[in-house]
Amino acid sequence: MIDPYNDFISEGGKVWDRLKGVAEANKCVPHMMQVLDAARKAELRVFYALHRRYRPGDYETWKYIAPVQKAAWSRKTFEYGTWGGEIRSEFAPQPGDIVALEHWCSSGFANTDLDLQLKTHGIHRLIVMGLIAHTCVEATVRYAAELGYQVTLVRDATADYSDEEMHAALDINIPNYASAIVTADEVVDLVSRDALE
């Protein structure tokens, strides 16, 4: 689960107006909930890869800053201690879920303990969903492939600023790294069947 923050997926969030069109068209939030519920029913371990929540002083002294970080800084996206920087309530971690250290740029793996947490729990197959398709989702899927994980991406449990960016991520870039790109219905069916076996 990548970045289910209020700022991304809740009405009134700092970035919601930019994502709303695509997110509502593909029913991103209900599909994320559908997959999360199925994963929990199947007793799959849930991992959270969360973006750094902005705190004063985060970037002011940095010599080099990526454009995506500059944008987070200027908007104070996911500001720590604010509603926007909280995980949307339906997606709050439950006992047994693993919340990795926050990532600073886009990949849930870079400069975090996500790889360690997955390996120490014996996990090598990932189902990835969350926000945003062409940044954090794509970067996390790419890095996972580099580390040897088998990745399944849930295409209608992610969103982006535009259909073009969704297309670039889901139809051009991510197919080079994910073993499968499926719908929420497909992954729920697979997870449910595996739980029965």
Side-chain angles (χ1 to χ4, degrees):
M1 172 73 71
I2 301 174
D3 295 340
Y5 286 122
N6 283 320
D7 268 349
F8 267 160
I9 56 173
S10 296
E11 194 69 47
K14 290 178 182 173
V15 190
W16 174 243
D17 285 345
R18 295 182 64 202
L19 292 167
K20 184 176 181 175
V22 172
E24 288 183 345
N26 76 350
K27 298 181 176 67
C28 172
V29 174
H31 286 140
M32 288 170 61
M33 198 70 244
Q34 178 188 3
V35 172
L36 183 61
D37 286 345
R40 290 203 165 120
K41 281 184 188 136
E43 298 182 358
L44 297 181
R45 177 118 15 219
V46 176
F47 290 79
Y48 287 78
L50 301 175
H51 200 283
R52 170 78 177 178
R53 288 172 291 164
Y54 171 81
R55 293 159 177 87
D58 271 356
Y59 303 106
E60 282 85 345
T61 60
W62 285 26
K63 188 170 182 181
Y64 305 106
I65 184 167
V68 71
Q69 292 165 320
K70 222 177 249 185
W73 178 18
S74 69
R75 294 186 187 103
K76 295 180 175 54
T77 314
F78 324 126
E79 187 170 7
Y80 186 80
T82 68
W83 171 84
E86 293 173 5
I87 293 173
R88 184 168 159 154
S89 60
E90 301 96 311
F91 300 105
Q94 304 296 311
D97 293 350
I98 306 295
V99 180
L101 296 172
E102 296 173 355
H103 55 271
W104 282 88
C105 194
S106 289
S107 171
F109 288 97
N111 304 304
T112 77
D113 63 343
L114 182 58
D115 183 46
L116 172 71
Q117 291 282 4
L118 290 164
K119 285 180 175 155
T120 57
H121 287 87
I123 308 238
H124 68 276
R125 292 169 53 202
L126 310 181
I127 298 169
V128 176
M129 63 180 175
L131 289 301
I132 290 178
H134 83 279
T135 57
C136 295
V137 172
E138 183 176 327
T140 301
V141 168
R142 284 174 178 256
Y143 209 128
E146 297 278 3
L147 293 170
Y149 292 97
Q150 181 182 7
V151 181
T152 295
L153 176 72
V154 189
R155 74 178 303 112
D156 54 0
T158 187
D160 216 312
Y161 302 134
S162 68
D163 291 332
E164 292 77 18
E165 285 160 313
M166 281 284 279
H167 170 71
L170 300 179
D171 301 322
I172 298 172
N173 296 334
I174 293 176
N176 293 300
Y177 303 96
S179 302
I181 300 176
V182 298
T183 65
D185 286 343
E186 289 170 326
V187 82
V188 166
D189 183 51
L190 290 169
V191 164
S192 303
R193 255 190 289 135
D194 284 350
L196 296 172
E197 294 174 359

